[in-house]
Amino acid sequence: MGEDRFNLPPGFRFHPTDEELVVHFLYRKVALLPCHPDIIPDVDLYRYDPWELNGKALSGDNQLYFFSQITQERISPNGYWKHLGVDDPITSASQTVGFKKFLVFYIGEAPVGIKTNWVMHEYHLLDGATTSRSSRRRGKPRIASNEWALCRVHESNCGDDGIELSCLDEVFLSMDDLDEISLPN
């Protein structure tokens, strides 16, 4: 699901800043406001492993962008996303409007999974960021800003020698008994 689908001009690249992702995309999604063009899809992140997201999410600069509803457990069919315990604030006009969580994908079951080179930045709004005083006075319901996140997923370089390995390469290289693996002829 690349940029070609939207008839954008040649040379267009989707390369938003953290502030743009939160203010112009996530805020509009949570507040139920239209976003033109509507290019970032909704994806049920936890139904897929990261290498299966290509074609389901907007891709730009080797990164995948999508909205996902958040659950407490970040478990996929073959692994889990582990939060690194780091949250960066996102500011706009000298005001904090959201935050970015950093996660890494592990193959297997927690806590003994095998770390991969798949990284996710999960963007969130601050609680109550979409509720204004005027909307509360008019009786509009408060939108739960913590139900949705905007996700940016990519596969990072994992070696110092400039060679990029896929997560499956890392799994095979981490196995102790490579002699037991039979490759097709």
Side-chain angles (χ1 to χ4, degrees), residues 1-2 48-59 63-64 118:
M1 185 171 167
Y48 304 103
D49 292 317
W51 51 89
E52 298 175 312
L53 291 170
N54 203 10
K56 295 171 182 50
L58 172 68
S59 62
Q63 299 189 39
L64 302 166
W118 286 96

Side-chain angles (χ1 to χ4, degrees), residues 32 40 43 55 65 77-78 84 105 111 119 122 133 141 144 146 149 162 177:
L32 303 175
I40 301 177
V43 174
Y65 298 87
N78 293 303
L84 298 178
F105 188 76
V119 176
E122 205 176 70
R133 286 186 204 136
N146 59 354
D177 247 344

Side-chain angles (χ1 to χ4, degrees), residues 16-170:
T17 64
D18 292 346
E19 177 187 0
E20 290 167 337
L21 287 172
V22 170
V23 173
H24 297 289
F25 293 97
L26 183 57
Y27 175 84
R28 297 185 75 75
K29 170 75 172 174
V30 171
L32 303 175
L33 297 170
C35 186
H36 301 291
D38 188 13
I39 59 175
I40 301 177
D42 295 349
V43 174
D44 184 359
L45 171 64
Y46 309 111
R47 289 184 53 207
Y48 304 103
D49 292 317
W51 51 89
E52 298 175 312
L53 291 170
N54 203 10
K56 295 171 182 50
L58 172 68
S59 62
D61 290 337
N62 294 323
Q63 299 189 39
L64 302 166
Y65 298 87
F66 53 91
F67 293 109
S68 187
Q69 289 189 310
I70 299 306
T71 63
Q72 288 297 326
E73 295 183 3
R74 294 174 170 91
I75 299 171
S76 76
N78 293 303
Y80 60 97
W81 290 96
K82 181 178 178 183
H83 181 238
L84 298 178
V86 177
D87 293 347
D88 277 355
I90 307 296
T91 59
S92 179
S94 301
Q95 185 176 14
T96 301
V97 293
F99 58 96
K100 174 172 62 171
K101 292 183 178 221
F102 296 87
L103 299 99
V104 173
F105 188 76
Y106 285 75
I107 294 175
E109 292 186 23
V112 294
I114 300 168
K115 183 178 177 181
T116 69
N117 56 338
W118 286 96
V119 176
M120 177 167 55
H121 298 161
E122 205 176 70
Y123 295 89
H124 298 264
L125 292 175
L126 292 179
D127 284 337
T130 58
T131 306
S132 67
R133 286 186 204 136
S134 62
S135 67
R136 283 193 298 256
R137 272 187 255 134
R138 284 183 255 152
K140 290 186 179 178
R142 182 172 188 257
I143 298 166
S145 59
N146 59 354
E147 289 180 13
W148 287 97
L150 196 156
C151 303
R152 175 170 39 195
V153 174
H154 68 279
E155 194 172 13
S156 68
N157 292 338
C158 56
D160 293 333
D161 54 6
I163 298 172
E164 187 173 329
L165 298 175
S166 74
C167 61
L168 293 177
D169 290 334
E170 286 187 9

